[in-house]
Amino acid sequence: MTGSTRYVLRGVAPLGGEPTDLLLADGIIAAIGTDAVRAALDTDVSDRARGMAHAGSDTEAVEIDGAGLVALPGLVDLHTHLREPGREDAETVASGTRAAALGGFTAVHAMANTTPVADTAGVVEQVWRLGQDAGWVDVHPVGAVSVALAGEHLAELGAMAASAARVRVFSDDGKCIADPVLMRRALEYVKAFDGVIAQHAQEPRLTADAQMHEGIVSAELGLTGWPAVAEEAIIARDVLLAEHVGSRLHVCHLSTAGSVDLVRWAKARGIDVTAEVTPHHLLLTDELARGYDPVYKVNPPLRTAADVEAVRAGLADGTIDIVATDHAPHTREDKDCEWAAAAAGMTGLETALSVVQQTMVDTGRLTWADVARVMSSAPAAIGRITGGDRPQGRPITVGEPANLTLVDPAARWTVVPEVQATASANSPFRGRELPGRVVATFLRGRATVLAGQAVPQADAGSPGAAGSAYPTTARNA
Amino acid sequence: MRHLLSTADLDRATAIHILDTAAQMAATQSREIKKLPTLRGRTVINLFFEDSTRTRISFETAAKRLSADVINFSAKGSSVSKGESLKDTALTLQAMGADAVVVRHQASGAPHTLAHAGWVDGAVINAGDGTHQHPTQALLDAYTIRRHLAVAGGAGGGGTLDPSGRDLAGLKVAIVGDVLHSRVARSNVLLLRTLGADVTLVAPPTLIPVGVEAWPCRVSYHLDDVLRAEQPDAIMMLRVQRERMGAGGSGGGAFFPNPLEYTRGFGLDARRLALLPEHAIVMHPGPMNRGLEISADAADSRRAVIVEQVANGVAVRMAVLYLLLAGDAAEPKLVDERVGIA
Amino acid sequence: MSSGPVLPPASSPAERWAAPSASTGSRIVLGAPEIGRALTRIAHEILERNRGGAELVLLGIPTRGLPLAHRLADRLAAVEPGLDAAAIVGSLDVTMYRDDLHRHPTRTIGATRLPPSGIDGLVVVLVDDVLYSGRTIRAALDAISDLGRPRAVQLAALVDRGHRELPIRPDYVGKNLPTSHGERVWVLLEETDGEDAVLIETAPIKGESR
């Protein structure tokens, strides 16, 4: 390819505002507004006529009819499980990131609980390279906090930070950093490189063999309960630790009303804490466990209707900063069995935006501009990827990288897990009709999704943006 | 009634029908020839993932007394082992052609999964799943209570009047012990309430589940108070596990400081036995920890019906097997036949 | 086939359930007086055949065979000195011995109660309302053999409607009613249905033969 394709997006509504035209060229947003776009295109034409070809100008720009579509900055997921290395039977970096692109994402943070665990520079660089090779989204590996996620010794956080993967988010997700001294050390240590500890808040002894939320439903079903206090007690401890050592803390998949209250209190005190909520916790409750269908088994568990309302309110008022999918694919064997034997986790990359639209936008609690904040700019900020070589979560203005997703909010579709791009079928939204469809996704001006379909990444090795700092294999750019 | 998974699925009429049918079955068991040809040609599979000789033998006896063929499958699987999964076992059994699968499993909900996953065609009978339900135990408990107590006025010595068609309205039952981990308690609370009885749970706070507020019963932490104030007609002692009572091993997770303190507070001994009304019966699902939740005096007293419960278990299970298997499989509903079809 | 007097609308749910609707063309073949006379005659025949009422047991097959057995016992006791009607009647439920259980929705099991004398060495007279294919009686014979060893077993039926499928014949019959398979015979008794009548219904009703 001698130059990258240019795209003209006609009549899209950036952040749900007034419809306008956008020109994507050379990996950036080259022009906004009908006149500006025309002028830019005319410049190209006259340059060609004068023999001053420059990259991308030798082909016609591709027009995309964006009537009725909302343009959002490419979504950034701070919490995804890509399962590779180790559990490629459930998902690979390639299949997972393709699913992410179809869900409107242009960057994902891949959690460290792989096999082997991502607790060294070697493993995180491997994951980072796999993401590059696949080319669907930018993959930012998350580094483990403790060696082998054992919760005993700090992993080589510095080495991971300095590696090619430039890890900034560290988490033992899947497990809780329960030892208060280890948590303190980790919070202190990452200050040196502006890292953040993302805690999976689950007191292990209070949740020994826990299967679902502890409450009326669990008492009836005879399933061991996972009490809300096991999440809240850890959050309470960690925000105070973060305050004491002057570090920042991120709370993964917040699920209870009490947790929302704690984060609200901590922020009012000036503690540097951020929090995420998953799409499934915005919609589903523990009543779904009644059929003993393990597709509803997840960690932290589905909670009560009161908790669902509290996290929605928390997301709306900014107490909860972002939505993160906690996309957790599992093979059929791990879910096609009795509840206690089943793995915990739900897929979510391809349904996240729709669920957020249904629960928060269509109910009037968030605008599309808010969605851009909670699903793009804020997660990018927490992950420290708003700058550097491949910035994400940037505003839709001229000169910014063309990381965009176009959404049709009027579309309705039914979730059929078997036809989803993710390699696993454990979606809790099976059979549900959801609003909003991702029509197109652009990663630095290159289309990864067009007309709702993934665009095969034939030349996935090339970064698709001029002037990349990352070395590529020797080939013509 | 296509499966028997939980007493929550039984309404009053169905429950009484099962008890009445059990009474007819019990009558046949006092004959010299105890065997009936009713389920000849049917196959019942006992699928026991958890050890339980007593319950398995009870179901086996019930099936054989009705001339059904019985296959015993004992699969001791740990909750982590995926060696032979529930699904694979079920598919194997389906290939053998089971009309009914009696399943006991350590995971709550396993029989429900078995009944609805489409792996087996036959009726599924829950013989105890985790801490969830044990419906035939509750049915035999209700049967026992009815046999002894359900005569006019609600109290009175047993057996001479025919209790057919009666429920347990007006009777008071106390269930004492480890309610948190007890499937017997859960099944009994629902069924006894459905039959009109008044239930009080008695246990230390650590053994009462969060969420019990939604259950149709009272809760008390004080056994003596309940005995004196409520004068229950039946007292059901639940089995308590020593390991849970702080008898070493569970460290900070023990539910009780030590077994002795448990017995002092919640054990049925001779003194507490004397607080019960004259006609009251003492029950226990077995196996008993003599000296822990029930003293030898209480277990062997004339008011204890514990051995009879076992016999009633066979009759109740015969009734359940009959009602699930004897009729037209395509139309598995209970019909009270009244018409003289000629 | 004459269309005789049709029953007045039934007044209780049991009667409505038991009684066919007026639109299906049923006719009464036996009224209360005829039933009474038939039972009296059968009672005398039983005493005659068995040379008195000693060593005799009447087992009624629920539902309607049981009240019939009680009525026969009363008539026997009225004629024969020293006979206690209550002491010679029992009920024999045959549900668990039927050979057609899984062709119908699950049946309720009735009571089996033998009289205090038992049945060993005695003459058992089975009493049922309608004799048709004979399968009910076959099941009754199996049930009896599990309960004891009578000296002899005899059969009294209020109505014999023919169409036997097994080699079983009644010893005492109230009325022989030739019928076709498409017809249904209904027996109503005071004790169970509030009145005495035997009806034949000509229109086929959804359901299967016994």
Side-chain angles (χ1 to χ4, degrees), chain A residues 30-348:
Chain A
I32 297 181
T34 316
D35 299 330
V37 169
R38 190 183 313 118
L41 289 174
D42 289 346
T43 314
D44 287 343
V45 169
S46 64
D47 280 349
R48 272 208 298 279
R50 279 179 283 144
M52 287 167 58
H54 48 95
S57 67
D58 56 346
T59 51
E60 288 296 317
V62 173
E63 293 249 332
I64 292 181
D65 176 9
L69 303 185
V70 169
L72 296 173
L75 306 182
V76 175
D77 192 7
L78 202 64
H79 190 146
T80 296
H81 296 273
L82 297 180
R83 299 298 188 216
E84 189 177 6
R87 286 308 304 268
E88 291 84 354
D89 51 345
E91 190 88 278
T92 60
V93 172
S95 66
T97 53
R98 183 160 162 273
L102 285 163
F105 292 89
T106 51
V108 302
H109 289 76
M111 280 295 175
N113 57 338
T114 48
T115 310
V117 169
D119 56 8
T120 61
V123 180
V124 297
E125 283 189 354
Q126 176 194 3
V127 174
W128 174 78
R129 259 180 247 287
L130 286 168
Q132 263 201 290
D133 291 348
W136 295 103
V137 305
D138 288 348
V139 174
H140 292 277
V142 173
V145 173
S146 67
V147 174
L149 303 178
E152 287 167 14
H153 307 291
L154 276 184
E156 295 171 359
L157 309 184
M160 289 190 271
S163 75
R166 294 168 60 79
V167 179
R168 292 294 177 268
V169 181
F170 299 89
S171 179
D172 274 1
D173 181 71
K175 301 172 75 172
C176 175
I177 305 165
D179 180 350
V181 178
L182 183 66
M183 186 62 178
R184 175 192 175 141
R185 299 282 180 262
L187 285 169
E188 290 171 315
Y189 199 76
V190 295
K191 284 161 68 176
F193 35 83
D194 198 22
V196 66
I197 304 296
Q199 171 72 291
H200 168 118
Q202 176 182 353
E203 211 297 315
R205 296 211 66 222
L206 283 178
T207 53
D209 199 37
Q211 302 291 331
M212 66 170 289
H213 173 68
E214 179 163 16
I216 287 174
V217 180
S218 69
E220 222 182 282
L221 297 186
L223 288 173
T224 309
W226 199 129
V229 62
E231 175 174 305
E232 294 152 5
I234 296 290
I235 293 174
R237 179 199 76 178
D238 286 353
V239 297
L240 291 171
L241 276 175
E243 180 184 54
H244 182 67
V245 305
S247 182
R248 61 186 184 114
L249 170 73
H250 178 74
V251 179
C252 295
H253 43 49
L254 207 117
S255 71
T256 82
S259 300
V260 176
D261 289 342
L262 283 165
V263 172
R264 199 177 277 126
W265 173 87
K267 285 185 170 180
R269 243 172 115 81
I271 297 173
D272 191 353
V273 57
T274 55
E276 72 189 34
V277 64
T278 66
H280 46 269
H281 286 109
L282 287 171
L283 182 57
L284 308 175
T285 68
D286 62 348
E287 291 286 339
L288 287 167
R290 283 187 188 279
Y292 291 102
D293 184 350
V295 81
Y296 300 112
K297 182 175 178 181
V298 66
N299 234 350
L302 300 178
R303 305 280 189 190
T304 67
D307 295 307
V308 169
E309 174 49 38
V311 297
R312 288 189 189 181
L315 184 61
D317 75 14
T319 303
I320 299 177
D321 305 79
I322 67 171
V323 171
T325 66
D326 194 9
H327 174 85
H330 285 293
T331 58
R332 258 184 73 198
E333 307 86 75
D334 285 345
K335 287 287 196 179
D336 197 8
C337 51
E338 63 274 24
W339 185 282
M346 304 168 163
T347 58

Side-chain angles (χ1 to χ4, degrees), chain C residues 99-185:
Chain C
D99 63 4
D100 63 350
L101 281 175
H102 32 277
R103 297 216 214 103
H104 300 285
T106 313
R107 293 170 181 265
T108 304
I109 300 176
T112 294
R113 259 181 238 107
L114 299 182
S117 57
I119 59 172
D120 288 344
L122 304 176
V123 172
V124 167
V125 179
L126 291 172
V127 183
D128 205 2
D129 55 344
V130 179
L131 177 59
Y132 188 16
S133 64
R135 292 185 185 273
T136 302
I137 304 305
R138 195 252 351 129
L141 290 173
D142 281 352
I144 285 177
S145 70
D146 277 357
L147 288 167
R149 195 181 187 286
R151 178 153 55 86
V153 180
Q154 298 167 2
L155 171 60
L158 182 64
V159 170
D160 179 352
R161 65 169 289 193
H163 301 290
R164 214 78 72 233
E165 292 170 11
L166 296 171
I168 285 177
R169 51 113 190 93
D171 298 279
Y172 316 98
V173 178
K175 176 133 181 111
N176 282 298
L177 272 188
T179 59
S180 68
H181 276 298
E183 293 172 317
R184 294 196 70 176
V185 175

Side-chain angles (χ1 to χ4, degrees), chain B residues 115-152:
Chain B
H116 295 98
W119 305 330
V120 294
D121 285 339
V124 176
I125 299 174
N126 182 2
D129 64 329
T131 57
H132 178 225
Q133 285 273 327
H134 193 355
T136 56
Q137 178 69 43
L139 284 163
L140 76 88
D141 288 337
Y143 178 85
T144 307
I145 293 172
R146 189 174 87 155
R147 225 183 70 79
H148 283 269
L149 298 164
V151 294

